[in-house]
Amino acid sequence: MLKILVIEDDELIRETLVQLLESHSYRVIVAENGRFGVQMALSEIPDLILCDVQMPEIDGYDVLRTLRQNSLAATIPFIFLTAQSCKTDFRRGMELGADDYLTKPFTKAELLGAISSRVSKRQTITQPLTFALHQAEARLKDLVNESSNVSILSPEKLALEALLRRALAQGEFQVYYQPQVDIATGQVIGAEALVRWQNPDRGIISPAEFIPLAEETGLIIQIGEWVLLSACAQAASWLAAGFSPFRISVNLSARQLSDPELKARIVQILETTGLEPANLELEMTESALVENATVAGATLNELKALGVRIAIDDFGTGYATLGYLKLFAFDSLKIDRIFVRNANADAQNAAITTAVILLGHSLNMTVIAEGVETEPELAFLKKHNCDIIQGYLFSRPEPAPIFESMLVADRRLFAPPLTAVTARPIPFVPVSEPEKSKNLSMSILGIV
């Protein structure tokens, strides 16, 4: 079913468009202004966008400009809906990359015709590319079969890479959120964003299986950007709904740290989503830092200057010296789960965990314990003044609706688990109007 995003600030017009499109078997998602429209376009990746021009905060032109600059949304067919008929306005939209321009009032036939035309054109463009992809996959299989050294060209690895590239194009990735809980208050004060891959044939594919391949092929840059954008948009919506304090943590890979465009990408994402830099924490492992310490150091200093928080992940499992803690001036230090496990009973783990907490606090860092699974582990961490925990004791990583239900219920440590709510992360609840208002909306649009 074709998925259409409607970006329209007029509620009556928006509701009318939804009714019309759904009556013609389109799946419709909606945004009530330009900012939410950009967020939904980049998180949902619709098949087509209908967008009003005149809107508060971000108008239709800025929506289009932002999407055309993003690799994930650059090719989505985009149709302007506007009451303006000036040639200058029309030209401006087309120069930014609009595919069509419908002037209100327009008829139902004109709207459906424009949608059909754009969809057909896109299929004409993408079908040869899909065919070429199938040919490339077949050729790779032939090369593997013909190779005298099959171990070098693993058919499983090649097949997974093809699936990975297709997953990016078809939007098969999801972001799950694992709560981070303040030990002193028991309150959820943030979350770590974690990518999950839901393949239609193989089901959930473990990050341990596809992340190393994404790193190797460079696809981690695109995946990482999508996760960062989705997580920031989601965090901004929760903060706007009144769930505060809240900070979102997102992992950065070694490839991303070496990307010269990383700072520019993050600045654009923060501006697009409206998330304050202080509400974003970027996590990186010791090994990622060591891989390119000079470039990573310069990048991290630039990000800290923006107000973004920086955390070192899996501390103690990599190859960095203690000097890195001083060199990079981290805001948070995450104790790896291998040291947290049974720290209440294992003398070595207890000594390491206690020492790391003391070290972090002496350097004015927030200390976060990962992988907390038992109440004795929690009691040990609380006794030794660890600041924040995350782990299965409180919650495993969950999709946004389930995580949101925890926030709505103000769930705290040891509270009973909740089931998913049906609310959207960025909710839109159409308000029913009398039939007279709906008819008025129809006449405004000129839909007959």
Side-chain angles (χ1 to χ4, degrees), residues 1-32:
M1 182 182 294
L2 198 72
K3 179 165 61 175
I4 297 178
L5 169 60
V6 174
I7 307 173
E8 169 64 67
D9 63 327
D10 186 298
E11 188 174 330
L12 291 177
I13 295 176
R14 190 170 61 238
E15 185 177 350
T16 301
L17 287 171
V18 170
Q19 292 175 343
L20 171 62
L21 295 172
E22 287 183 343
S23 70
H24 285 76
S25 301
Y26 292 118
R27 179 188 168 195
V28 186
I29 54 178
V30 294
E32 58 196 31

Side-chain angles (χ1 to χ4, degrees), residues 324-342:
Y324 277 89
L325 295 181
K326 181 178 179 180
L327 177 64
F328 294 110
F330 295 101
D331 298 289
S332 300
L333 186 157
K334 302 190 75 173
I335 310 174
D336 189 82
R337 69 188 66 190
I338 65 171
F339 303 127
V340 173
R341 187 177 299 121
N342 295 323

Side-chain angles (χ1 to χ4, degrees), residues 372-392:
V372 181
E373 297 185 356
T374 69
E375 293 185 23
E377 290 171 356
L378 173 62
F380 176 87
L381 293 165
K382 187 172 184 177
K383 176 182 176 182
H384 291 279
N385 300 313
C386 184
D387 302 302
I388 297 170
I389 68 151
Q390 66 181 87
Y392 283 12

